[in-house]
Amino acid sequence: MMRLFSLINFITFQLCWFVSATYQQSGILIIISLLCIHFALSPQKKADIKVLPIALIGIAVDQLLITIQVIQLPENSVSPLVIPIWLMFLWCAFAWCLNHSLQWLIKLSTKKVGVIGAIFGSLSYYVALQLNVFNSVLSPLYFVLAMAFIWALLLPLFTHIHRYIFRS
């Protein structure tokens, strides 16, 4: 069941990311539905709740990036200077991945996790930038470099927090 749920978690996160990138605020009910399905099927509900502080850190980092305009939300956003709800929920979905489809990261060295974060974290944000989910005051090159630096720090931090939460 755990391997099957890791696949369900992976698909759920990818769908949340796609709906977020495509529909932003107008896709909020779909995102909430996907999160509810995930939680209802999760064999580790208590563990999923325990990792939500990781989402709060991601939300805070994105809010900082919005505040300093590294991420510029569209003018038609509910509030272009405040992190949108759909992005907060996306962070919840990501945090849950650390319990399931990304749990393998927990066993890797900090350096390896940092490299993975730099590559795939920045790639995810770059794709969102290219899809016009948001803009940036930075050129695409500097944006990717900034995201690579941030994610080289964030993903190892998340894995360390995860280890701390579930220490025995």
Side-chain angles (χ1 to χ4, degrees):
M1 176 63 180
M2 295 298 277
R3 290 185 134 213
L4 174 62
F5 192 75
S6 287
L7 178 61
I8 291 168
N9 170 260
F10 175 79
I11 291 168
T12 302
F13 177 75
Q14 297 304 318
L15 288 171
C16 283
W17 192 97
F18 177 77
V19 171
S20 295
T22 306
Y23 300 106
Q24 291 99 36
Q25 197 65 28
S26 59
I28 195 77
L29 291 178
I30 298 169
I31 296 166
I32 291 171
S33 298
L34 288 167
L35 292 175
C36 288
I37 290 167
H38 173 283
F39 195 74
L41 296 175
S42 177
Q44 298 180 341
K45 290 175 180 58
K46 286 182 183 177
D48 288 345
I49 291 169
K50 285 182 178 182
V51 297
L52 289 178
I54 291 171
L56 293 176
I57 294 168
I59 290 166
V61 170
D62 274 354
Q63 179 59 63
L64 175 64
L65 293 171
I66 290 166
T67 301
I68 63 174
Q69 297 194 342
V70 170
I71 293 175
Q72 295 176 317
L73 297 170
E75 289 299 319
N76 65 354
S77 296
V78 174
S79 175
L81 299 177
V82 178
I83 189 169
I85 299 291
W86 59 266
L87 190 49
M88 291 183 197
F89 283 137
L90 186 59
W91 272 108
C92 294
F94 177 79
W96 286 347
C97 289
L98 292 171
N99 281 344
H100 304 287
S101 60
L102 293 179
Q103 190 170 32
W104 57 272
L105 287 172
I106 307 303
K107 298 176 181 108
L108 297 180
S109 71
T110 300
K111 284 183 182 180
K112 287 180 183 176
V113 174
V115 169
I116 291 167
I119 294 168
F120 293 103
S122 61
L123 178 63
S124 178
Y125 278 75
Y126 178 70
V127 170
L129 180 69
Q130 294 303 305
L131 291 173
N132 293 315
V133 175
F134 52 77
N135 292 310
S136 179
V137 295
L138 302 176
S139 70
L141 174 62
Y142 286 122
F143 180 82
V144 169
L145 291 174
M147 290 297 117
F149 176 76
I150 290 166
W151 274 92
L153 299 175
L154 266 186
L155 196 56
L157 174 64
F158 293 158
T159 59
H160 285 287
I161 291 170
H162 190 280
R163 280 189 217 109
Y164 179 78
I165 291 170
F166 296 103
R167 68 195 179 282
S168 334

PDB file of all heavy atoms in Angstrom, residues 16-44:
ATOM      1  N   CYS A  16      -1.731  19.134  -8.550  1.00  0.00           N
ATOM      2  CA  CYS A  16      -1.841  20.409  -7.815  1.00  0.00           C
ATOM      3  C   CYS A  16      -0.960  21.466  -8.472  1.00  0.00           C
ATOM      4  O   CYS A  16      -1.387  22.616  -8.646  1.00  0.00           O
ATOM      5  CB  CYS A  16      -1.444  20.233  -6.353  1.00  0.00           C
ATOM      6  SG  CYS A  16      -2.679  19.454  -5.318  1.00  0.00           S
ATOM      7  N   TRP A  17       0.263  21.091  -8.848  1.00  0.00           N
ATOM      8  CA  TRP A  17       1.170  22.039  -9.492  1.00  0.00           C
ATOM      9  C   TRP A  17       0.586  22.506 -10.830  1.00  0.00           C
ATOM     10  O   TRP A  17       0.554  23.705 -11.119  1.00  0.00           O
ATOM     11  CB  TRP A  17       2.557  21.416  -9.713  1.00  0.00           C
ATOM     12  CG  TRP A  17       3.582  22.431 -10.105  1.00  0.00           C
ATOM     13  CD1 TRP A  17       4.458  23.045  -9.270  1.00  0.00           C
ATOM     14  CD2 TRP A  17       3.820  22.984 -11.415  1.00  0.00           C
ATOM     15  NE1 TRP A  17       5.231  23.947  -9.981  1.00  0.00           N
ATOM     16  CE2 TRP A  17       4.858  23.919 -11.299  1.00  0.00           C
ATOM     17  CE3 TRP A  17       3.256  22.772 -12.663  1.00  0.00           C
ATOM     18  CZ2 TRP A  17       5.346  24.643 -12.378  1.00  0.00           C
ATOM     19  CZ3 TRP A  17       3.736  23.493 -13.754  1.00  0.00           C
ATOM     20  CH2 TRP A  17       4.774  24.417 -13.592  1.00  0.00           C
ATOM     21  N   PHE A  18       0.095  21.563 -11.617  1.00  0.00           N
ATOM     22  CA  PHE A  18      -0.472  21.901 -12.929  1.00  0.00           C
ATOM     23  C   PHE A  18      -1.683  22.816 -12.789  1.00  0.00           C
ATOM     24  O   PHE A  18      -1.796  23.822 -13.502  1.00  0.00           O
ATOM     25  CB  PHE A  18      -0.855  20.629 -13.697  1.00  0.00           C
ATOM     26  CG  PHE A  18      -1.512  20.903 -15.008  1.00  0.00           C
ATOM     27  CD1 PHE A  18      -0.770  21.296 -16.109  1.00  0.00           C
ATOM     28  CD2 PHE A  18      -2.892  20.795 -15.141  1.00  0.00           C
ATOM     29  CE1 PHE A  18      -1.386  21.574 -17.326  1.00  0.00           C
ATOM     30  CE2 PHE A  18      -3.510  21.073 -16.343  1.00  0.00           C
ATOM     31  CZ  PHE A  18      -2.761  21.463 -17.444  1.00  0.00           C
ATOM     32  N   VAL A  19      -2.599  22.487 -11.886  1.00  0.00           N
ATOM     33  CA  VAL A  19      -3.789  23.318 -11.677  1.00  0.00           C
ATOM     34  C   VAL A  19      -3.376  24.693 -11.165  1.00  0.00           C
ATOM     35  O   VAL A  19      -3.908  25.716 -11.610  1.00  0.00           O
ATOM     36  CB  VAL A  19      -4.793  22.629 -10.719  1.00  0.00           C
ATOM     37  CG1 VAL A  19      -5.918  23.571 -10.321  1.00  0.00           C
ATOM     38  CG2 VAL A  19      -5.352  21.364 -11.363  1.00  0.00           C
ATOM     39  N   SER A  20      -2.416  24.738 -10.268  1.00  0.00           N
ATOM     40  CA  SER A  20      -1.929  26.020  -9.753  1.00  0.00           C
ATOM     41  C   SER A  20      -1.340  26.868 -10.867  1.00  0.00           C
ATOM     42  O   SER A  20      -1.630  28.057 -10.976  1.00  0.00           O
ATOM     43  CB  SER A  20      -0.875  25.798  -8.662  1.00  0.00           C
ATOM     44  OG  SER A  20      -1.431  25.175  -7.548  1.00  0.00           O
ATOM     45  N   ALA A  21      -0.499  26.264 -11.694  1.00  0.00           N
ATOM     46  CA  ALA A  21       0.152  26.999 -12.782  1.00  0.00           C
ATOM     47  C   ALA A  21      -0.837  27.424 -13.856  1.00  0.00           C
ATOM     48  O   ALA A  21      -0.691  28.491 -14.453  1.00  0.00           O
ATOM     49  CB  ALA A  21       1.261  26.150 -13.400  1.00  0.00           C
ATOM     50  N   THR A  22      -1.838  26.617 -14.079  1.00  0.00           N
ATOM     51  CA  THR A  22      -2.788  26.889 -15.162  1.00  0.00           C
ATOM     52  C   THR A  22      -3.920  27.815 -14.740  1.00  0.00           C
ATOM     53  O   THR A  22      -4.299  28.715 -15.483  1.00  0.00           O
ATOM     54  CB  THR A  22      -3.380  25.560 -15.687  1.00  0.00           C
ATOM     55  OG1 THR A  22      -2.306  24.690 -16.044  1.00  0.00           O
ATOM     56  CG2 THR A  22      -4.263  25.802 -16.897  1.00  0.00           C
ATOM     57  N   TYR A  23      -4.460  27.597 -13.550  1.00  0.00           N
ATOM     58  CA  TYR A  23      -5.676  28.303 -13.149  1.00  0.00           C
ATOM     59  C   TYR A  23      -5.504  29.253 -11.964  1.00  0.00           C
ATOM     60  O   TYR A  23      -6.410  30.042 -11.681  1.00  0.00           O
ATOM     61  CB  TYR A  23      -6.784  27.299 -12.827  1.00  0.00           C
ATOM     62  CG  TYR A  23      -7.137  26.429 -13.997  1.00  0.00           C
ATOM     63  CD1 TYR A  23      -6.738  25.106 -14.040  1.00  0.00           C
ATOM     64  CD2 TYR A  23      -7.854  26.943 -15.075  1.00  0.00           C
ATOM     65  CE1 TYR A  23      -7.050  24.303 -15.127  1.00  0.00           C
ATOM     66  CE2 TYR A  23      -8.165  26.149 -16.164  1.00  0.00           C
ATOM     67  CZ  TYR A  23      -7.762  24.830 -16.183  1.00  0.00           C
ATOM     68  OH  TYR A  23      -8.062  24.044 -17.253  1.00  0.00           O
ATOM     69  N   GLN A  24      -4.385  29.157 -11.253  1.00  0.00           N
ATOM     70  CA  GLN A  24      -4.134  29.935 -10.046  1.00  0.00           C
ATOM     71  C   GLN A  24      -5.369  29.943  -9.132  1.00  0.00           C
ATOM     72  O   GLN A  24      -5.872  28.897  -8.789  1.00  0.00           O
ATOM     73  CB  GLN A  24      -3.676  31.366 -10.384  1.00  0.00           C
ATOM     74  CG  GLN A  24      -2.303  31.436 -11.000  1.00  0.00           C
ATOM     75  CD  GLN A  24      -2.363  31.556 -12.499  1.00  0.00           C
ATOM     76  OE1 GLN A  24      -3.236  32.197 -13.043  1.00  0.00           O
ATOM     77  NE2 GLN A  24      -1.417  30.953 -13.167  1.00  0.00           N
ATOM     78  N   GLN A  25      -5.877  31.126  -8.805  1.00  0.00           N
ATOM     79  CA  GLN A  25      -6.974  31.258  -7.835  1.00  0.00           C
ATOM     80  C   GLN A  25      -8.256  30.576  -8.311  1.00  0.00           C
ATOM     81  O   GLN A  25      -8.991  30.024  -7.494  1.00  0.00           O
ATOM     82  CB  GLN A  25      -7.238  32.737  -7.540  1.00  0.00           C
ATOM     83  CG  GLN A  25      -8.028  32.996  -6.296  1.00  0.00           C
ATOM     84  CD  GLN A  25      -7.312  32.573  -5.020  1.00  0.00           C
ATOM     85  OE1 GLN A  25      -6.088  32.551  -4.938  1.00  0.00           O
ATOM     86  NE2 GLN A  25      -8.076  32.218  -4.006  1.00  0.00           N
ATOM     87  N   SER A  26      -8.519  30.577  -9.609  1.00  0.00           N
ATOM     88  CA  SER A  26      -9.766  29.963 -10.080  1.00  0.00           C
ATOM     89  C   SER A  26      -9.730  28.431  -9.994  1.00  0.00           C
ATOM     90  O   SER A  26     -10.762  27.790 -10.126  1.00  0.00           O
ATOM     91  CB  SER A  26     -10.105  30.423 -11.498  1.00  0.00           C
ATOM     92  OG  SER A  26      -9.078  30.084 -12.391  1.00  0.00           O
ATOM     93  N   GLY A  27      -8.559  27.859  -9.730  1.00  0.00           N
ATOM     94  CA  GLY A  27      -8.456  26.416  -9.572  1.00  0.00           C
ATOM     95  C   GLY A  27      -8.438  25.958  -8.120  1.00  0.00           C
ATOM     96  O   GLY A  27      -8.209  24.781  -7.845  1.00  0.00           O
ATOM     97  N   ILE A  28      -8.725  26.874  -7.212  1.00  0.00           N
ATOM     98  CA  ILE A  28      -8.596  26.583  -5.789  1.00  0.00           C
ATOM     99  C   ILE A  28      -9.455  25.399  -5.336  1.00  0.00           C
ATOM    100  O   ILE A  28      -9.010  24.575  -4.536  1.00  0.00           O
ATOM    101  CB  ILE A  28      -8.868  27.845  -4.921  1.00  0.00           C
ATOM    102  CG1 ILE A  28      -8.387  27.635  -3.488  1.00  0.00           C
ATOM    103  CG2 ILE A  28     -10.310  28.222  -4.910  1.00  0.00           C
ATOM    104  CD1 ILE A  28      -6.928  27.754  -3.335  1.00  0.00           C
ATOM    105  N   LEU A  29     -10.667  25.274  -5.859  1.00  0.00           N
ATOM    106  CA  LEU A  29     -11.528  24.158  -5.443  1.00  0.00           C
ATOM    107  C   LEU A  29     -10.976  22.819  -5.919  1.00  0.00           C
ATOM    108  O   LEU A  29     -11.089  21.810  -5.208  1.00  0.00           O
ATOM    109  CB  LEU A  29     -12.960  24.362  -5.944  1.00  0.00           C
ATOM    110  CG  LEU A  29     -13.727  25.507  -5.284  1.00  0.00           C
ATOM    111  CD1 LEU A  29     -15.118  25.654  -5.886  1.00  0.00           C
ATOM    112  CD2 LEU A  29     -13.812  25.307  -3.778  1.00  0.00           C
ATOM    113  N   ILE A  30     -10.359  22.809  -7.078  1.00  0.00           N
ATOM    114  CA  ILE A  30      -9.729  21.580  -7.571  1.00  0.00           C
ATOM    115  C   ILE A  30      -8.551  21.216  -6.680  1.00  0.00           C
ATOM    116  O   ILE A  30      -8.373  20.053  -6.297  1.00  0.00           O
ATOM    117  CB  ILE A  30      -9.287  21.739  -9.040  1.00  0.00           C
ATOM    118  CG1 ILE A  30     -10.493  21.989  -9.942  1.00  0.00           C
ATOM    119  CG2 ILE A  30      -8.504  20.514  -9.511  1.00  0.00           C
ATOM    120  CD1 ILE A  30     -10.138  22.415 -11.349  1.00  0.00           C
ATOM    121  N   ILE A  31      -7.754  22.211  -6.337  1.00  0.00           N
ATOM    122  CA  ILE A  31      -6.586  21.971  -5.484  1.00  0.00           C
ATOM    123  C   ILE A  31      -7.026  21.449  -4.115  1.00  0.00           C
ATOM    124  O   ILE A  31      -6.474  20.469  -3.607  1.00  0.00           O
ATOM    125  CB  ILE A  31      -5.742  23.250  -5.345  1.00  0.00           C
ATOM    126  CG1 ILE A  31      -5.178  23.656  -6.707  1.00  0.00           C
ATOM    127  CG2 ILE A  31      -4.623  23.059  -4.324  1.00  0.00           C
ATOM    128  CD1 ILE A  31      -4.621  25.069  -6.755  1.00  0.00           C
ATOM    129  N   ILE A  32      -8.027  22.086  -3.533  1.00  0.00           N
ATOM    130  CA  ILE A  32      -8.543  21.629  -2.234  1.00  0.00           C
ATOM    131  C   ILE A  32      -9.072  20.206  -2.342  1.00  0.00           C
ATOM    132  O   ILE A  32      -8.813  19.370  -1.460  1.00  0.00           O
ATOM    133  CB  ILE A  32      -9.627  22.595  -1.703  1.00  0.00           C
ATOM    134  CG1 ILE A  32      -8.990  23.931  -1.321  1.00  0.00           C
ATOM    135  CG2 ILE A  32     -10.377  21.982  -0.520  1.00  0.00           C
ATOM    136  CD1 ILE A  32      -9.993  25.025  -0.996  1.00  0.00           C
ATOM    137  N   SER A  33      -9.768  19.903  -3.423  1.00  0.00           N
ATOM    138  CA  SER A  33     -10.286  18.549  -3.623  1.00  0.00           C
ATOM    139  C   SER A  33      -9.156  17.530  -3.711  1.00  0.00           C
ATOM    140  O   SER A  33      -9.232  16.449  -3.116  1.00  0.00           O
ATOM    141  CB  SER A  33     -11.136  18.479  -4.896  1.00  0.00           C
ATOM    142  OG  SER A  33     -12.247  19.323  -4.787  1.00  0.00           O
ATOM    143  N   LEU A  34      -8.097  17.876  -4.447  1.00  0.00           N
ATOM    144  CA  LEU A  34      -6.951  16.968  -4.558  1.00  0.00           C
ATOM    145  C   LEU A  34      -6.287  16.744  -3.201  1.00  0.00           C
ATOM    146  O   LEU A  34      -5.915  15.615  -2.861  1.00  0.00           O
ATOM    147  CB  LEU A  34      -5.935  17.523  -5.558  1.00  0.00           C
ATOM    148  CG  LEU A  34      -6.356  17.466  -7.031  1.00  0.00           C
ATOM    149  CD1 LEU A  34      -5.433  18.323  -7.886  1.00  0.00           C
ATOM    150  CD2 LEU A  34      -6.375  16.023  -7.522  1.00  0.00           C
ATOM    151  N   LEU A  35      -6.163  17.814  -2.417  1.00  0.00           N
ATOM    152  CA  LEU A  35      -5.573  17.676  -1.083  1.00  0.00           C
ATOM    153  C   LEU A  35      -6.459  16.812  -0.176  1.00  0.00           C
ATOM    154  O   LEU A  35      -5.943  15.999   0.602  1.00  0.00           O
ATOM    155  CB  LEU A  35      -5.338  19.045  -0.455  1.00  0.00           C
ATOM    156  CG  LEU A  35      -4.258  19.903  -1.116  1.00  0.00           C
ATOM    157  CD1 LEU A  35      -4.199  21.280  -0.468  1.00  0.00           C
ATOM    158  CD2 LEU A  35      -2.905  19.231  -1.074  1.00  0.00           C
ATOM    159  N   CYS A  36      -7.757  16.976  -0.284  1.00  0.00           N
ATOM    160  CA  CYS A  36      -8.682  16.165   0.525  1.00  0.00           C
ATOM    161  C   CYS A  36      -8.605  14.693   0.126  1.00  0.00           C
ATOM    162  O   CYS A  36      -8.616  13.809   0.998  1.00  0.00           O
ATOM    163  CB  CYS A  36     -10.117  16.681   0.384  1.00  0.00           C
ATOM    164  SG  CYS A  36     -10.399  18.246   1.236  1.00  0.00           S
ATOM    165  N   ILE A  37      -8.524  14.427  -1.164  1.00  0.00           N
ATOM    166  CA  ILE A  37      -8.386  13.039  -1.638  1.00  0.00           C
ATOM    167  C   ILE A  37      -7.088  12.449  -1.099  1.00  0.00           C
ATOM    168  O   ILE A  37      -7.063  11.327  -0.588  1.00  0.00           O
ATOM    169  CB  ILE A  37      -8.447  12.975  -3.176  1.00  0.00           C
ATOM    170  CG1 ILE A  37      -9.863  13.289  -3.654  1.00  0.00           C
ATOM    171  CG2 ILE A  37      -7.969  11.615  -3.690  1.00  0.00           C
ATOM    172  CD1 ILE A  37      -9.968  13.549  -5.143  1.00  0.00           C
ATOM    173  N   HIS A  38      -6.005  13.220  -1.218  1.00  0.00           N
ATOM    174  CA  HIS A  38      -4.718  12.754  -0.703  1.00  0.00           C
ATOM    175  C   HIS A  38      -4.830  12.400   0.777  1.00  0.00           C
ATOM    176  O   HIS A  38      -4.430  11.316   1.200  1.00  0.00           O
ATOM    177  CB  HIS A  38      -3.638  13.819  -0.903  1.00  0.00           C
ATOM    178  CG  HIS A  38      -2.344  13.480  -0.245  1.00  0.00           C
ATOM    179  ND1 HIS A  38      -2.129  13.611   1.114  1.00  0.00           N
ATOM    180  CD2 HIS A  38      -1.205  12.986  -0.753  1.00  0.00           C
ATOM    181  CE1 HIS A  38      -0.911  13.207   1.408  1.00  0.00           C
ATOM    182  NE2 HIS A  38      -0.325  12.829   0.289  1.00  0.00           N
ATOM    183  N   PHE A  39      -5.362  13.322   1.547  1.00  0.00           N
ATOM    184  CA  PHE A  39      -5.435  13.115   2.999  1.00  0.00           C
ATOM    185  C   PHE A  39      -6.346  11.938   3.344  1.00  0.00           C
ATOM    186  O   PHE A  39      -6.028  11.147   4.238  1.00  0.00           O
ATOM    187  CB  PHE A  39      -5.886  14.391   3.699  1.00  0.00           C
ATOM    188  CG  PHE A  39      -5.646  14.352   5.181  1.00  0.00           C
ATOM    189  CD1 PHE A  39      -4.371  14.489   5.688  1.00  0.00           C
ATOM    190  CD2 PHE A  39      -6.692  14.161   6.060  1.00  0.00           C
ATOM    191  CE1 PHE A  39      -4.125  14.423   7.059  1.00  0.00           C
ATOM    192  CE2 PHE A  39      -6.467  14.099   7.431  1.00  0.00           C
ATOM    193  CZ  PHE A  39      -5.178  14.231   7.933  1.00  0.00           C
ATOM    194  N   ALA A  40      -7.461  11.810   2.639  1.00  0.00           N
ATOM    195  CA  ALA A  40      -8.391  10.705   2.910  1.00  0.00           C
ATOM    196  C   ALA A  40      -7.741   9.353   2.636  1.00  0.00           C
ATOM    197  O   ALA A  40      -7.975   8.383   3.366  1.00  0.00           O
ATOM    198  CB  ALA A  40      -9.655  10.865   2.065  1.00  0.00           C
ATOM    199  N   LEU A  41      -6.907   9.285   1.609  1.00  0.00           N
ATOM    200  CA  LEU A  41      -6.265   8.019   1.235  1.00  0.00           C
ATOM    201  C   LEU A  41      -4.946   7.770   1.968  1.00  0.00           C
ATOM    202  O   LEU A  41      -4.438   6.649   1.956  1.00  0.00           O
ATOM    203  CB  LEU A  41      -6.008   7.998  -0.271  1.00  0.00           C
ATOM    204  CG  LEU A  41      -7.235   8.035  -1.183  1.00  0.00           C
ATOM    205  CD1 LEU A  41      -6.810   8.126  -2.644  1.00  0.00           C
ATOM    206  CD2 LEU A  41      -8.127   6.821  -0.946  1.00  0.00           C
ATOM    207  N   SER A  42      -4.402   8.792   2.581  1.00  0.00           N
ATOM    208  CA  SER A  42      -3.071   8.682   3.190  1.00  0.00           C
ATOM    209  C   SER A  42      -3.034   7.633   4.300  1.00  0.00           C
ATOM    210  O   SER A  42      -3.852   7.665   5.220  1.00  0.00           O
ATOM    211  CB  SER A  42      -2.626  10.027   3.767  1.00  0.00           C
ATOM    212  OG  SER A  42      -1.373   9.877   4.407  1.00  0.00           O
ATOM    213  N   PRO A  43      -2.051   6.744   4.234  1.00  0.00           N
ATOM    214  CA  PRO A  43      -1.882   5.781   5.318  1.00  0.00           C
ATOM    215  C   PRO A  43      -1.134   6.398   6.513  1.00  0.00           C
ATOM    216  O   PRO A  43      -0.962   5.740   7.529  1.00  0.00           O
ATOM    217  CB  PRO A  43      -1.043   4.670   4.677  1.00  0.00           C
ATOM    218  CG  PRO A  43      -0.277   5.346   3.597  1.00  0.00           C
ATOM    219  CD  PRO A  43      -1.151   6.470   3.101  1.00  0.00           C
ATOM    220  N   GLN A  44      -0.709   7.657   6.367  1.00  0.00           N
ATOM    221  CA  GLN A  44       0.071   8.323   7.417  1.00  0.00           C
ATOM    222  C   GLN A  44      -0.495   9.711   7.727  1.00  0.00           C
ATOM    223  O   GLN A  44       0.206  10.714   7.638  1.00  0.00           O
ATOM    224  CB  GLN A  44       1.529   8.450   6.986  1.00  0.00           C
ATOM    225  CG  GLN A  44       2.212   7.140   6.747  1.00  0.00           C
ATOM    226  CD  GLN A  44       3.653   7.331   6.314  1.00  0.00           C
ATOM    227  OE1 GLN A  44       4.055   8.389   5.870  1.00  0.00           O
ATOM    228  NE2 GLN A  44       4.432   6.286   6.448  1.00  0.00           N
TER     229      GLN A  44
END
